[in-house]
Amino acid sequence: MDLLWEIIQVLGALAVLVLIVVLIIAHLTAGMVNLTRHDKEKYFIVASGEKQLFPSVHDPSSRDLSVVIPAYNEELRMPVMLDEAIEFLENRQKQNPSFTYEVIVVDDGSKDKTTEVASRYTRKYGADKVRVLTLVKNRGKGGAVRMGTMSSRGKLILMADADGATKFSDIEKIEAGLKNLHPGPENLAISCGSRAHLEKEAVAQRSVFRTFLMYGFHFLVWFLCVRGIRDTQCGFKLFTREAALKTFSCLHVERWAFDVELLYIAQCFKIPIAEVAVNWTEIEGSKLVPFWSWLQMGRDLIFIRLRYITGAWKLQPPLKTD
């Protein structure tokens, strides 16, 4: 009995030691919010080939909707999505001439012709409607979305994936979800597209191992960061301009787990969040590597929580990009 008690004490001491080491690592490796831009990232190219300075989300809005599309090596998949999105937006404008929009494609340091492909749409529709922000180096999806958001002009800002997995017309559903939140005087609200209603079908098609990883990730999200949102990772989210500024200004994680930190920040600020079911189809060519990406996201979730607990990361008022 004494031996068993000694073993328990040793294991307990080791667990405490491991926790302390993890806390120290999480604190010491915590990066700060990175809002700096390379000089080349401050400009977009108009149809004539001239450079113009991007506006700032800190400025008053001048469009009804901004659509921010992060793109990394998407020269093949992106045109289908852009055709669908712009056709929908152009039809809405024909039906309601007062409606204004912009599409911002953020090339996240691609090695293919993503910028060249996106620039064709600038030449076709004009830089007032389609702009391309080319990042000098790869930041990660979260970093790309943030840079596009910080350069937007819309009263509402939609984040949408370049693969077109979500039917673009479903924006009407998440717009309705946002409206139903009744944003208060500060106009803070977020509406998230959700694939949670498709979970049973997805489980039936996945291997046992991938299903285990999925449920493990969902548990970590719920336990460590975000409660009440079943699908944090759907890349179809709509923000009021004020909510986008408040959340993206505090964002630290720039890769796959950025959605979780974004919603964690929103819940800390008590920003109302709607979750709305959308149509979703898996598109070939995903950049997500199942096992390693899940591990990276799991690590990020643990570090997100620990870094806020230890004070390494803090929620701060919005700062302007440099």
Side-chain angles (χ1 to χ4, degrees):
M1 193 69 180
D2 290 340
L3 179 61
L4 179 60
W5 177 242
E6 287 180 8
I7 292 173
I8 292 173
Q9 285 182 314
V10 170
L11 291 176
L14 284 173
V16 171
L17 180 62
V18 169
L19 179 59
I20 291 172
V21 170
V22 171
L23 281 169
I24 292 172
I25 292 173
H27 191 86
L28 293 179
T29 59
M32 294 298 100
V33 175
N34 181 14
L35 295 176
T36 58
R37 291 180 186 236
H38 190 281
D39 285 344
K40 293 180 180 179
E41 298 170 352
K42 297 178 181 179
Y43 301 91
F44 63 94
I45 307 298
V46 300
S48 63
E50 297 176 354
K51 293 196 301 184
Q52 288 189 12
L53 192 67
F54 271 110
S56 169
V57 74
H58 290 265
D59 302 330
S61 64
S62 59
R63 296 293 178 272
D64 292 314
L65 176 69
S66 293
V67 181
V68 177
I69 304 171
Y72 178 67
N73 293 342
E74 292 287 3
E75 65 172 329
L76 298 178
R77 300 195 301 176
M78 185 174 60
V80 176
M81 184 273 173
L82 282 176
D83 288 339
E84 179 190 356
I86 295 175
E87 181 182 7
F88 176 90
L89 295 168
E90 286 289 299
N91 286 335
R92 176 178 282 194
Q93 194 170 63
K94 287 177 182 177
Q95 295 169 9
N96 178 14
S98 66
F99 170 74
T100 53
Y101 75 89
E102 67 173 349
V103 175
I104 302 174
V105 177
V106 186
D107 181 347
D108 190 21
S110 298
K111 298 175 182 177
D112 66 357
K113 297 180 180 179
T114 294
T115 288
E116 183 179 324
V117 170
S119 296
R120 294 173 193 163
Y121 290 84
T122 299
R123 292 191 291 271
K124 181 176 181 180
Y125 295 98
D128 200 44
K129 288 185 175 180
V130 182
R131 296 179 174 182
V132 184
L133 169 53
T134 303
L135 303 184
V136 173
K137 65 177 182 179
N138 178 265
R139 284 176 174 258
K141 183 180 177 182
V145 173
R146 175 169 54 197
M147 296 306 283
T149 298
M150 290 298 182
S151 307
S152 63
R153 297 175 288 167
K155 293 178 184 176
L156 300 179
I157 301 171
L158 175 70
M159 169 182 113
D161 287 344
D163 61 3
T166 303
K167 192 174 180 182
F168 192 84
S169 59
D170 279 0
I171 187 177
E172 294 179 338
K173 297 179 181 178
I174 59 173
E175 284 175 327
L178 195 75
K179 189 175 181 180
N180 290 337
L181 290 173
H182 303 293
E186 294 184 324
N187 197 35
L188 297 171
I190 300 172
S191 185
C192 301
S194 175
R195 304 159 297 179
H197 61 295
L198 303 172
E199 192 170 283
K200 288 184 178 179
E201 181 182 341
V203 167
Q205 296 176 356
R206 284 193 177 106
S207 67
V208 174
F209 181 64
R210 288 190 67 184
T211 299
F212 172 78
L213 288 176
M214 179 187 73
Y215 281 122
F217 178 76
H218 287 174
F219 173 76
L220 285 177
V221 169
W222 173 86
F223 184 72
L224 296 171
C225 300
V226 178
R227 305 282 174 90
I229 305 296
R230 294 177 62 196
D231 181 9
T232 58
Q233 300 309 110
C234 181
F236 206 63
K237 293 181 175 69
L238 185 67
F239 302 78
T240 61
R241 187 176 186 82
E242 294 78 5
L245 175 59
K246 197 155 191 173
T247 53
F248 279 99
S249 293
C250 295
L251 185 70
H252 300 83
V253 177
E254 293 196 319
R255 298 203 175 271
W256 297 112
F258 84 96
D259 302 79
V260 178
E261 190 196 357
L262 202 64
L263 295 175
Y264 174 80
I265 292 167
Q267 291 189 339
C268 287
F269 281 131
K270 301 189 184 309
I271 296 174
I273 304 171
E275 186 173 16
V276 182
V278 295
N279 293 297
W280 186 85
T281 305
E282 188 162 354
I283 307 295
E284 290 186 7
S286 172
K287 309 300 185 300
L288 194 70
V289 181
F291 180 71
W292 295 111
S293 295
W294 287 109
L295 280 184
Q296 183 186 40
M297 286 192 286
R299 179 205 64 191
D300 286 345
L301 292 181
I302 294 170
F303 278 10
I304 287 169
R305 187 60 173 163
L306 292 180
R307 284 166 176 165
Y308 278 108
I309 287 175
T310 61
W313 289 351
K314 297 177 182 178
L315 299 178
Q316 298 177 343
L319 300 172
K320 282 200 172 186
T321 56
D322 180 11

